[in-house]
Amino acid sequence: MRKVTLVLEDGTKFHGKSFGYDRPVAGEVVFNTAMMGYPESLTDPSYAGQLMTLTYPLVGNYGVPPFTVGADGLATFMESDRIYASAIIVADYSEQYSHWNGVETLAEWLKREHVPGITGIDTRELTKVLREHGVMMGKIIFDDEPDNIPEADYEGVNFVDKVSCKEIIRYNEGAGKKVVLVDCGVKNNIIRCLVNRGVEVIRVPWNYDYTSMNFDGLFLANGPGDPDMCEDAVNIVRRQMSMSAKPICGICMGNQLLAKAGGAQIYKLKYGHRSHNQPVRMVGTNSCYVTSQNHGYAVDAKTLGADWEELFVNMNDGSNEGIRHKVNPWFSSQFHPEACSGPVDTEFMFDKFVETLK
Ligand SMILES: NC(=O)CC[C@H](N)C(=O)O
């Protein structure tokens, strides 16, 4: 195992060892406090451009599931067809694994996909630094190699364009109600949750103009990076809203794009929400849900247009967790009702959306 140093933008250094693919890398350093779910998180396209730190200390002990493909054409156990995070940072990598579904070690997978992984890092201390300072750019460099990689950019990069599909993909063709799914970097379980509810899914590139297509509802998916890079998608949503009151639902980046289409502004959170236990409250009720999240930006609820209202708020920091239109069936969540990984308590969001199609 080669020695590595993680160097943060402010000069803070953490020393560890490489267990993944040996390659220096730069990106935005973020932390996730979930206790499991590394196969799902690594393959979540929303982590593109980021070095993912896990605070749970033991990682790798349940191995990696196989890349089998189900009848729906999607990877059965993964959220996309490859790793999108730029690297994984852990405290204590376990080469030994045991799980009914494990077929290889995390190190084998990372090496095959050319993704760096580092261990021996005090990830809880690193997380304290990120919480104090806010997320920072960082680099993983090899101690026996000169630092020859450029700084990376995160803000101002259109990551959605890098990860979105390039042409239309259909699922469950002929099933009945048709849903256009705007692929900003969609997780497989969003598609599964729609397909399992008996609708046809027409997955389109993030900047595709679907307004003249024949469909019953619009779904805006999750995706990486700064939502302000996705003006093209926002303009198309706005045009769709001006043309008809067809149902619209959004998740995470989808919440941000819907809010922007409704006139609201987005800001960057100090260190984001990435975990399985983010508490949210449904506005106007005492119903609270434990949710799975992965985002760095948030909707500034004060800037929502008069036709919109908050649907959910985060009980830790009061930030927006969802919006809805006061008249039309247009609503979205900042959290992930599809989970994968994490609690599935909010899957009712998909039920509500499919009900509104009828
Ligand atoms: N998971 C997502 O869709 C993330 C949305 C956006 N990239 C953010 O970080 O806020």
Side-chain angles (χ1 to χ4, degrees):
M1 279 186 170
R2 285 167 69 190
K3 288 188 173 163
V4 292
T5 304
L6 168 70
V7 187
L8 301 180
E9 192 183 320
D10 70 347
T12 310
K13 290 189 169 109
F14 288 85
H15 300 283
K17 288 178 181 159
S18 167
F19 75 95
Y21 187 70
D22 279 353
R23 175 170 71 82
V25 67
E28 186 181 59
V29 186
V30 297
F31 64 88
N32 181 325
T33 59
M35 294 173 76
M36 38 65 72
Y38 55 85
E40 294 92 334
S41 292
L42 285 170
T43 55
D44 174 352
S46 295
Y47 276 105
Q50 294 174 324
L51 315 184
M52 182 174 74
T53 307
L54 301 183
T55 53
Y56 188 74
L58 186 65
V59 179
N61 56 316
Y62 62 92
V64 174
F67 259 94
T68 47
V69 174
D72 49 16
L74 300 165
T76 324
F77 305 108
M78 304 290 195
E79 287 309 304
S80 68
D81 48 15
R82 69 173 176 90
I83 298 177
Y84 277 95
S86 298
I88 184 169
I89 300 169
V90 309
D92 192 1
Y93 168 63
S94 169
E95 176 75 3
Q96 234 182 5
Y97 70 87
S98 170
H99 190 271
W100 65 270
N101 201 18
V103 293
E104 64 179 337
T105 65
L106 177 55
E108 284 167 335
W109 185 33
L110 292 170
K111 285 178 185 154
R112 196 174 62 249
E113 300 224 8
H114 292 194
V115 176
I118 65 172
T119 181
I121 304 290
D122 184 346
T123 54
R124 291 175 173 191
E125 179 57 28
L126 169 56
T127 297
K128 281 198 215 162
V129 171
L130 297 174
R131 280 182 63 117
E132 285 300 318
H133 180 285
V135 285
M136 279 187 262
M137 298 304 290
K139 279 184 185 186
I140 294 170
I141 53 181
F142 285 76
D143 294 0
D144 56 10
E145 219 176 89
D147 172 14
N148 56 4
I149 55 160
E151 308 290 333
D153 287 321
Y154 189 77
E155 264 160 271
V157 177
N158 188 343
F159 284 102
V160 164
D161 191 51
K162 294 179 197 270
V163 306
S164 172
C165 63
K166 301 289 173 245
E167 41 200 72
I168 295 180
I169 308 170
R170 288 170 194 268
Y171 304 87
N172 228 7
E173 251 187 290
K177 297 288 178 189
K178 289 182 169 49
V179 173
V180 166
L181 172 68
V182 180
D183 179 8
C184 295
V186 67
K187 284 168 66 188
N188 281 343
N189 210 40
I190 292 181
I191 305 173
R192 289 187 207 107
C193 284
L194 290 168
V195 165
N196 290 344
R197 285 167 176 76
V199 298
E200 174 173 342
V201 175
I202 307 164
R203 174 177 176 182
V204 302
W206 73 280
N207 53 359
Y208 188 86
D209 187 351
Y210 43 79
T211 52
S212 58
M213 282 170 85
N214 166 28
F215 64 97
D216 303 290
L218 178 64
F219 209 99
L220 308 172
N222 65 291
D226 183 349
D228 285 339
M229 294 291 106
C230 299
E231 286 306 329
D232 292 356
V234 172
N235 290 333
I236 300 166
V237 174
R238 207 173 276 139
R239 192 169 330 133
Q240 174 63 31
M241 295 194 308
S242 71
M243 286 167 53
S244 97
K246 275 181 200 168
I248 306 178
C249 187
I251 292 175
C252 208
M253 178 66 99
N255 181 56
Q256 298 163 352
L257 299 184
L258 186 63
K260 277 172 70 68
Q265 281 163 16
I266 307 297
Y267 65 99
K268 187 151 181 157
L269 292 164
K270 190 172 179 190
Y271 44 79
H273 298 153
R274 295 177 186 85
S275 75
H276 288 165
N277 60 351
Q278 291 285 330
V280 306
R281 185 171 58 81
M282 189 184 269
V283 174
T285 74
N286 282 328
S287 297
C288 301
Y289 305 93
V290 180
T291 67
S292 177
Q293 300 199 14
N294 164 28
H295 65 110
Y297 297 85
V299 172
D300 181 354
K302 294 189 303 294
T303 61
L304 280 171
D307 298 339
W308 294 84
E309 59 194 5
E310 278 197 288
L311 179 53
F312 299 101
V313 288
N314 188 297
M315 297 183 70
N316 287 335
D317 62 11
S319 64
N320 176 259
E321 289 289 355
I323 60 169
R324 76 170 152 213
H325 192 265
K326 290 180 182 166
V327 180
N328 296 323
W330 302 339
F331 62 100
S332 53
S333 68
Q334 188 59 53
F335 55 83
H336 287 269
E338 83 285 5
C340 255
S341 53
V344 294
D345 312 28
T346 53
E347 250 199 60
F348 62 80
M349 292 289 285
F350 291 96
D351 298 327
K352 286 267 179 272
F353 173 66
V354 172
E355 269 167 38
T356 60
L357 301 175
K358 298 196 169 126

